[in-house]
Amino acid sequence: MLHKKLFIFLFLIGNVCIGTHVTHAENYTPNLSFKQSISSVWVRNRPSYMGKTHIEIEKKVTETKPFNSNNEASGKQILINLASRQLYLYDNNRKIKTYPVAVGTYEMQTPVGYFSIEEKEKNPIWTDPEDTKHVVKSGPENPLGMRWMRIGGNYGIHGTNAPHSVGRYVSHGCIRMRESDVEELFDNVELRTPVEIYYDRIVINRDHDHTISYFIYPDGYAKQDISVADVKKALSGYGVDAFASEQSILESIQNSNAQQIYVAKAYNIFFDKKKLDKKAIQKDGVIYIPVDTISSMFKIQLEYNAETNLLTSPYGTANCIEKSGNFYIKEKDLAVLFNKTGQLTKEYTYIIGAVN
């Protein structure tokens, strides 16, 4: 739905960054190399095929951009994912609210790029973009609802007199919200609040207890092909890619039905207040510890026996769990192989200490 006059063509040429695939705070931020070697000098006799991950990353590379946090008005920021049709409100880089939205049709796509709230208006008047003589005053019949926030050109975030349309590709390019949602958002943001609009079918979610899950959304704008490798790359930013089933990912891509797929819980590992480079992973009630990270940290040489799938250190022998070329051990075997203990704190960090 456009507000007042329609200058889509000029606005798109002058103001829109088209075709950028951005991975956001809702997804992941690290810029990682995925044809990486995960061999460790501290693990002898590792099979050669475990020298790198099983999946060869395809030619397509996900571009990453830092989120535009230059907000002169407050700590609030708005992100809108056109693929998921969701608006995320952030406060000081912490997501505090998620709203469903309606966005532009395939023919009149909502532009991607960086914007800001330039105007806020209660009880707006709507002018039909296809017939500027047709004007609708504020009220229940107004397609803009009771709130309007212009973000650039004639595009804006607004309410609607058709709440059933929220969650669909139905507008002329604006962002529609349910009336109660847009009024809440209106009261919680100020002028100059930054707005970033992007298109990403892969959405990674982290719950308060560090449970990582992902969603694959349909390609409503037919502009983003994704592969198993793309999903693995997104999950790697959270440290759980090795625990995501390739078959499950493939089925999720084929279905593209926005169903939530749970992977595992991931915890930062600390020793002597130093953060280690990989995470402890909890799946099905079991905590798994990354072998290469621990052996490198403590400079403890391990021997791997491929026939028995056992790891041996100067302290003892334990079962090895291989995940996508990565070696893990169960938490209970920290003492066996490394003479260390581990504890999950209430802040969801994993602390390694010496055996008493």
Short mmCIF file of all heavy atoms in Angstrom, two decimals, residues 69-93:
data_model
loop_
_atom_site.label_atom_id
_atom_site.label_comp_id
_atom_site.label_asym_id
_atom_site.label_seq_id
_atom_site.Cartn_x
_atom_site.Cartn_y
_atom_site.Cartn_z
N SER A 69 24.11 0.06 13.01
CA SER A 69 23.69 0.41 14.36
C SER A 69 23.83 1.91 14.65
O SER A 69 23.81 2.34 15.78
CB SER A 69 24.52 -0.37 15.38
OG SER A 69 25.89 -0.09 15.23
N ASN A 70 23.97 2.73 13.61
CA ASN A 70 24.09 4.16 13.79
C ASN A 70 22.71 4.76 14.03
O ASN A 70 22.02 5.16 13.13
CB ASN A 70 24.74 4.79 12.55
CG ASN A 70 24.91 6.30 12.70
OD1 ASN A 70 24.94 6.80 13.82
ND2 ASN A 70 25.02 6.99 11.58
N ASN A 71 22.31 4.79 15.28
CA ASN A 71 20.98 5.26 15.64
C ASN A 71 21.12 6.49 16.53
O ASN A 71 21.49 6.40 17.68
CB ASN A 71 20.21 4.17 16.39
CG ASN A 71 18.79 4.60 16.72
OD1 ASN A 71 18.38 5.70 16.38
ND2 ASN A 71 18.06 3.73 17.39
N GLU A 72 20.81 7.65 15.94
CA GLU A 72 20.95 8.89 16.68
C GLU A 72 19.83 9.06 17.70
O GLU A 72 19.94 9.81 18.65
CB GLU A 72 20.98 10.07 15.71
CG GLU A 72 22.14 10.03 14.73
CD GLU A 72 22.05 11.15 13.72
OE1 GLU A 72 21.09 11.94 13.80
OE2 GLU A 72 22.94 11.26 12.86
N ALA A 73 18.71 8.40 17.47
CA ALA A 73 17.53 8.63 18.30
C ALA A 73 17.57 7.83 19.58
O ALA A 73 17.30 8.35 20.65
CB ALA A 73 16.27 8.30 17.50
N SER A 74 17.88 6.56 19.51
CA SER A 74 17.85 5.69 20.69
C SER A 74 18.60 4.42 20.36
O SER A 74 19.24 4.31 19.33
CB SER A 74 16.40 5.39 21.07
OG SER A 74 15.81 4.56 20.09
N GLY A 75 18.49 3.41 21.26
CA GLY A 75 19.13 2.13 20.99
C GLY A 75 18.24 1.20 20.19
O GLY A 75 18.60 0.04 20.01
N LYS A 76 17.12 1.66 19.72
CA LYS A 76 16.18 0.81 19.00
C LYS A 76 16.60 0.66 17.53
O LYS A 76 17.12 1.59 16.91
CB LYS A 76 14.77 1.41 19.07
CG LYS A 76 14.21 1.55 20.46
CD LYS A 76 13.91 0.22 21.08
CE LYS A 76 13.40 0.35 22.52
NZ LYS A 76 12.16 1.12 22.65
N GLN A 77 16.34 -0.53 16.99
CA GLN A 77 16.62 -0.84 15.59
C GLN A 77 15.53 -1.77 15.08
O GLN A 77 15.02 -2.60 15.83
CB GLN A 77 17.98 -1.52 15.44
CG GLN A 77 19.13 -0.71 16.01
CD GLN A 77 20.39 -1.55 16.23
OE1 GLN A 77 20.32 -2.75 16.50
NE2 GLN A 77 21.55 -0.93 16.10
N ILE A 78 15.20 -1.65 13.81
CA ILE A 78 14.17 -2.50 13.20
C ILE A 78 14.80 -3.28 12.06
O ILE A 78 15.48 -2.70 11.20
CB ILE A 78 12.99 -1.67 12.67
CG1 ILE A 78 12.23 -1.01 13.83
CG2 ILE A 78 12.04 -2.52 11.84
CD1 ILE A 78 11.15 -0.04 13.38
N LEU A 79 14.60 -4.60 12.06
CA LEU A 79 14.99 -5.45 10.94
C LEU A 79 13.74 -6.09 10.38
O LEU A 79 12.86 -6.52 11.14
CB LEU A 79 15.96 -6.54 11.38
CG LEU A 79 17.46 -6.22 11.36
CD1 LEU A 79 17.79 -5.21 12.45
CD2 LEU A 79 18.29 -7.49 11.55
N ILE A 80 13.65 -6.16 9.06
CA ILE A 80 12.50 -6.78 8.40
C ILE A 80 13.01 -7.80 7.40
O ILE A 80 13.75 -7.45 6.47
CB ILE A 80 11.62 -5.74 7.69
CG1 ILE A 80 11.11 -4.69 8.71
CG2 ILE A 80 10.45 -6.41 6.99
CD1 ILE A 80 10.46 -3.49 8.07
N ASN A 81 12.64 -9.05 7.59
CA ASN A 81 13.01 -10.12 6.66
C ASN A 81 11.82 -10.39 5.74
O ASN A 81 10.78 -10.88 6.18
CB ASN A 81 13.39 -11.39 7.42
CG ASN A 81 13.93 -12.48 6.52
OD1 ASN A 81 13.84 -12.40 5.28
ND2 ASN A 81 14.49 -13.52 7.10
N LEU A 82 11.98 -10.07 4.47
CA LEU A 82 10.89 -10.23 3.51
C LEU A 82 10.57 -11.70 3.26
O LEU A 82 9.42 -12.05 2.97
CB LEU A 82 11.24 -9.53 2.19
CG LEU A 82 11.56 -8.04 2.29
CD1 LEU A 82 11.95 -7.49 0.93
CD2 LEU A 82 10.38 -7.28 2.87
N ALA A 83 11.57 -12.56 3.34
CA ALA A 83 11.33 -13.98 3.09
C ALA A 83 10.47 -14.61 4.18
O ALA A 83 9.57 -15.40 3.91
CB ALA A 83 12.66 -14.73 2.96
N SER A 84 10.74 -14.25 5.44
CA SER A 84 9.97 -14.80 6.55
C SER A 84 8.74 -13.97 6.86
O SER A 84 7.87 -14.40 7.61
CB SER A 84 10.84 -14.90 7.81
OG SER A 84 11.21 -13.63 8.28
N ARG A 85 8.69 -12.77 6.29
CA ARG A 85 7.60 -11.82 6.54
C ARG A 85 7.47 -11.57 8.04
O ARG A 85 6.40 -11.69 8.63
CB ARG A 85 6.28 -12.32 5.94
CG ARG A 85 6.21 -12.15 4.42
CD ARG A 85 5.54 -13.31 3.73
NE ARG A 85 6.40 -14.49 3.76
CZ ARG A 85 5.94 -15.72 3.80
NH1 ARG A 85 4.65 -15.96 3.84
NH2 ARG A 85 6.79 -16.74 3.81
N GLN A 86 8.61 -11.16 8.62
CA GLN A 86 8.65 -10.85 10.04
C GLN A 86 9.44 -9.56 10.26
O GLN A 86 10.41 -9.28 9.55
CB GLN A 86 9.31 -11.99 10.82
CG GLN A 86 8.45 -13.25 10.90
CD GLN A 86 9.11 -14.35 11.70
OE1 GLN A 86 10.31 -14.56 11.59
NE2 GLN A 86 8.34 -15.07 12.49
N LEU A 87 9.01 -8.81 11.24
CA LEU A 87 9.69 -7.59 11.66
C LEU A 87 10.25 -7.84 13.06
O LEU A 87 9.53 -8.30 13.95
CB LEU A 87 8.72 -6.41 11.66
CG LEU A 87 9.27 -5.03 12.03
CD1 LEU A 87 8.45 -3.93 11.34
CD2 LEU A 87 9.28 -4.79 13.54
N TYR A 88 11.53 -7.52 13.23
CA TYR A 88 12.20 -7.72 14.51
C TYR A 88 12.56 -6.36 15.09
O TYR A 88 13.20 -5.54 14.42
CB TYR A 88 13.48 -8.55 14.35
CG TYR A 88 13.28 -9.83 13.55
CD1 TYR A 88 13.75 -9.93 12.24
CD2 TYR A 88 12.62 -10.92 14.11
CE1 TYR A 88 13.57 -11.09 11.51
CE2 TYR A 88 12.45 -12.08 13.39
CZ TYR A 88 12.92 -12.17 12.09
OH TYR A 88 12.73 -13.33 11.37
N LEU A 89 12.18 -6.14 16.33
CA LEU A 89 12.56 -4.92 17.03
C LEU A 89 13.70 -5.24 17.98
O LEU A 89 13.58 -6.14 18.81
CB LEU A 89 11.37 -4.35 17.80
CG LEU A 89 11.66 -3.09 18.64
CD1 LEU A 89 12.11 -1.93 17.75
CD2 LEU A 89 10.43 -2.70 19.45
N TYR A 90 14.79 -4.48 17.85
CA TYR A 90 15.96 -4.67 18.69
C TYR A 90 16.16 -3.45 19.60
O TYR A 90 15.83 -2.32 19.22
CB TYR A 90 17.22 -4.86 17.84
CG TYR A 90 17.36 -6.25 17.26
CD1 TYR A 90 16.61 -6.63 16.16
CD2 TYR A 90 18.25 -7.16 17.81
CE1 TYR A 90 16.73 -7.91 15.63
CE2 TYR A 90 18.38 -8.43 17.29
CZ TYR A 90 17.62 -8.80 16.20
OH TYR A 90 17.74 -10.07 15.68
N ASP A 91 16.71 -3.71 20.75
CA ASP A 91 17.10 -2.64 21.66
C ASP A 91 18.53 -2.93 22.10
O ASP A 91 18.79 -3.93 22.77
CB ASP A 91 16.17 -2.59 22.87
CG ASP A 91 16.41 -1.35 23.72
OD1 ASP A 91 17.30 -0.54 23.38
OD2 ASP A 91 15.70 -1.17 24.73
N ASN A 92 19.45 -2.05 21.68
CA ASN A 92 20.88 -2.26 21.97
C ASN A 92 21.34 -3.64 21.52
O ASN A 92 21.97 -4.38 22.27
CB ASN A 92 21.16 -2.04 23.46
CG ASN A 92 20.95 -0.59 23.86
OD1 ASN A 92 21.34 0.32 23.13
ND2 ASN A 92 20.33 -0.38 25.01
N ASN A 93 20.96 -4.00 20.29
CA ASN A 93 21.35 -5.25 19.64
C ASN A 93 20.74 -6.50 20.29
O ASN A 93 21.18 -7.62 20.01
CB ASN A 93 22.88 -5.39 19.58
CG ASN A 93 23.50 -4.36 18.66
OD1 ASN A 93 22.95 -4.07 17.60
ND2 ASN A 93 24.61 -3.79 19.06
#
